[in-house]
Amino acid sequence: MLPDERNRKETYVEYISTQERNKLLWSLRSDFAWVGKKIPKTTEIDGEEYKLGDLIRELGEKGIINSNKAAEVRAIIPKLKEKAKANEELLETEELTKAEAEALYEEATGLLRAVIELEDRLEGKGGEKGVDEFRKMLNAQRLIDEKSFQQLLKSLK
């Protein structure tokens, strides 16, 4: 063992590989990347803090949204999309550690889920109807994935 080797191991930072980066990007860009992800309790955009968890919970409890609250939600949605897109671009272009890449991915998927939830609340969706629609979309995606997989198997034979 070299004298400085011990110090090098302690300061070694593992960066994300191209393969790991592509895997995260592919997952982030899939139609259901947000499924099962946690909505961030808060997020900061342009120096302003948004309490997403509280906002979504409040909209879910009240059911009916007044015009002022609807306008506020409509103003937040593009900002959330923009921040998720910015995280995706950072994930694609920057040299990141595994922890940094994972944090960007988790935040982006959480923001996408928040966008879906807010849009659903604006449209009056949620609850049982929202669950049924999601199941239909998920089943349709499963069929598409299964057909693609079968095509892949045929092409490999």
Side-chain angles (χ1 to χ4, degrees):
M1 180 187 271
L2 298 172
D4 278 346
E5 190 172 326
R6 179 188 224 173
N7 291 337
R8 283 188 212 142
K9 286 184 179 179
E10 292 173 1
T11 60
Y12 177 74
V13 177
E14 190 172 359
Y15 289 95
I16 189 168
S17 70
T18 302
Q19 183 179 11
E20 291 167 323
R21 178 188 310 270
N22 289 338
K23 182 179 175 183
L24 286 175
L25 286 169
W26 179 85
S27 177
L28 182 60
R29 293 171 179 160
S30 71
D31 290 337
F32 296 106
W34 49 269
V35 174
K37 299 299 179 181
K38 290 184 179 182
I39 296 171
K41 290 183 181 183
T42 62
T43 191
E44 187 177 319
I45 302 172
D46 298 329
E48 189 173 346
E49 183 177 43
Y50 296 95
K51 296 181 181 184
L52 297 177
D54 292 344
L55 177 61
I56 291 170
R57 190 176 313 106
E58 178 187 331
L59 295 175
E61 290 171 357
K62 289 184 179 178
I64 299 173
I65 303 173
N66 66 35
S67 61
N68 291 337
K69 195 59 143 179
E72 179 185 337
V73 171
R74 282 189 185 92
I76 293 171
I77 289 173
K79 293 177 183 180
L80 296 175
K81 287 179 180 180
E82 186 177 313
K83 185 169 183 180
K85 186 68 174 168
N87 284 1
E88 179 183 342
E89 289 173 7
L90 286 173
L91 186 58
E92 186 173 14
T93 60
E94 296 296 316
E95 186 175 354
L96 302 166
T97 65
K98 287 185 177 188
E100 291 169 335
E102 189 64 33
L104 281 172
Y105 172 80
E106 289 298 322
E107 183 180 41
T109 54
L111 292 172
L112 292 174
R113 175 151 182 225
V115 166
I116 297 292
E117 291 286 332
L118 290 172
E119 288 175 339
D120 284 352
R121 299 293 189 237
L122 283 176
E123 295 175 8
K125 295 179 183 177
E128 291 302 313
K129 184 177 179 185
V131 171
D132 289 339
E133 287 179 27
F134 173 72
R135 283 188 183 130
K136 287 178 185 176
M137 287 183 353
L138 190 57
N139 286 335
Q141 186 63 41
R142 282 185 186 148
L143 287 173
I144 292 168
D145 290 345
E146 179 65 28
K147 288 178 182 179
S148 298
F149 183 69
Q150 292 298 329
Q151 290 294 340
L152 174 67
L153 288 177
K154 286 180 183 178
S155 71
L156 293 175
K157 288 182 181 180

